[in-house]
Amino acid sequence: MTQAYAATDFTDRGQLNSVQLNVVTLVDMERAAATKSLEGCLYMMDNSVGGVGQGSDHLETICKQGQVINWIIRPIDMHRGADGTWPPMPKINNIVFLDIEKGDEDDVAERRIMTELKVYGAPDRMRDQYTAVYYYWAGAVMSEARPGLYRYRLVLELEKEHGTDKLYLNSVRYPSLRVLPV
């Protein structure tokens, strides 16, 4: 779908996912650790109808007021290494919504956009060749959130290859939610 289509009033509201959306982010852990940056290391996609930027780090997800969104994050490489160890895992530490109305995208939004659900349920932590393992962050769009575009920054915690140290990085380009009225 084209960006012009996504940015206009979405007339096919019946096709919007009724309960939950998933935003999946793949992280190039090796590159992020080497550069200590997420520049060119994030690949995002979602199951929204009409969103743009699939496969990029500036995904625009189409959602509606009150909708639950699950941000799922995984490393690109999910295979056990030759030495039998699993690759390091990324984790979403926080999602920070930005105040673009002030013209400075680094300012944190003063109004709440989401009700944070964090992790709910029990993600499977056992790693084997048949079970997908990942971290996720979940939230519900506030029912009183004004329709519009909301940019956000991912704050990620990355496991390092060796040792117990963690690397904390912020997304450089900002993905966004386009909230439509119910």
Side-chain angles (χ1 to χ4, degrees), residues 80-149:
R80 191 185 304 232
D83 63 355
T85 61
W86 293 101
M89 294 289 288
K91 178 181 180 183
I92 298 173
N93 232 25
N94 200 2
I95 295 177
V96 179
F97 283 87
L98 306 170
D99 192 348
I100 60 172
E101 291 176 1
K102 291 183 178 177
D104 184 2
E105 290 190 342
D106 290 329
D107 280 349
V108 175
E110 294 175 9
R111 285 175 284 146
R112 283 183 38 159
I113 309 305
M114 306 283 295
T115 299
E116 187 175 345
L117 302 173
K118 287 237 178 189
V119 174
Y120 61 92
D124 192 348
R125 296 191 182 273
M126 292 177 45
R127 287 187 175 189
D128 67 32
Q129 62 186 13
Y130 305 109
T131 306
V133 176
Y134 52 84
Y135 286 104
Y136 65 94
W137 190 98
V141 177
M142 303 286 285
S143 59
E144 62 273 3
R146 288 191 312 216
L149 185 70

Side-chain angles (χ1 to χ4, degrees), residues 7-165:
T8 62
D9 185 24
F10 194 78
T11 56
D12 230 353
R13 295 184 195 279
Q15 289 187 14
L16 285 171
N17 299 28
S18 61
V19 181
Q20 296 184 11
L21 285 175
N22 294 313
V23 176
V24 178
T25 302
L26 299 176
V27 181
D28 183 338
M29 296 287 288
E30 188 174 328
R31 182 174 180 176
T35 62
K36 295 190 178 17
S37 169
L38 294 175
E39 180 76 36
C41 298
L42 300 180
Y43 306 92
M44 302 177 76
M45 52 236 116
D46 64 29
N47 62 332
S48 73
V49 176
V52 295
Q54 298 288 336
S56 73
D57 59 355
H58 56 279
L59 177 69
E60 180 181 311
T61 300
I62 305 295
C63 61
K64 59 187 177 183
Q65 297 161 321
Q67 193 161 32
V68 171
I69 302 176
N70 301 303
W71 277 269
I72 298 167
I73 190 161
R74 300 177 43 154
I76 289 176
D77 180 14
M78 285 296 292
H79 300 290
R80 191 185 304 232
D83 63 355
T85 61
W86 293 101
M89 294 289 288
K91 178 181 180 183
I92 298 173
N93 232 25
N94 200 2
I95 295 177
V96 179
F97 283 87
L98 306 170
D99 192 348
I100 60 172
E101 291 176 1
K102 291 183 178 177
D104 184 2
E105 290 190 342
D106 290 329
D107 280 349
V108 175
E110 294 175 9
R111 285 175 284 146
R112 283 183 38 159
I113 309 305
M114 306 283 295
T115 299
E116 187 175 345
L117 302 173
K118 287 237 178 189
V119 174
Y120 61 92
D124 192 348
R125 296 191 182 273
M126 292 177 45
R127 287 187 175 189
D128 67 32
Q129 62 186 13
Y130 305 109
T131 306
V133 176
Y134 52 84
Y135 286 104
Y136 65 94
W137 190 98
V141 177
M142 303 286 285
S143 59
E144 62 273 3
R146 288 191 312 216
L149 185 70
Y150 296 93
R151 294 193 196 293
Y152 61 90
R153 179 177 59 229
L154 293 171
V155 180
L156 302 185
E157 176 183 304
L158 308 180
E159 292 178 351
K160 290 194 175 177
E161 191 75 42
H162 303 289
T164 57
D165 290 342

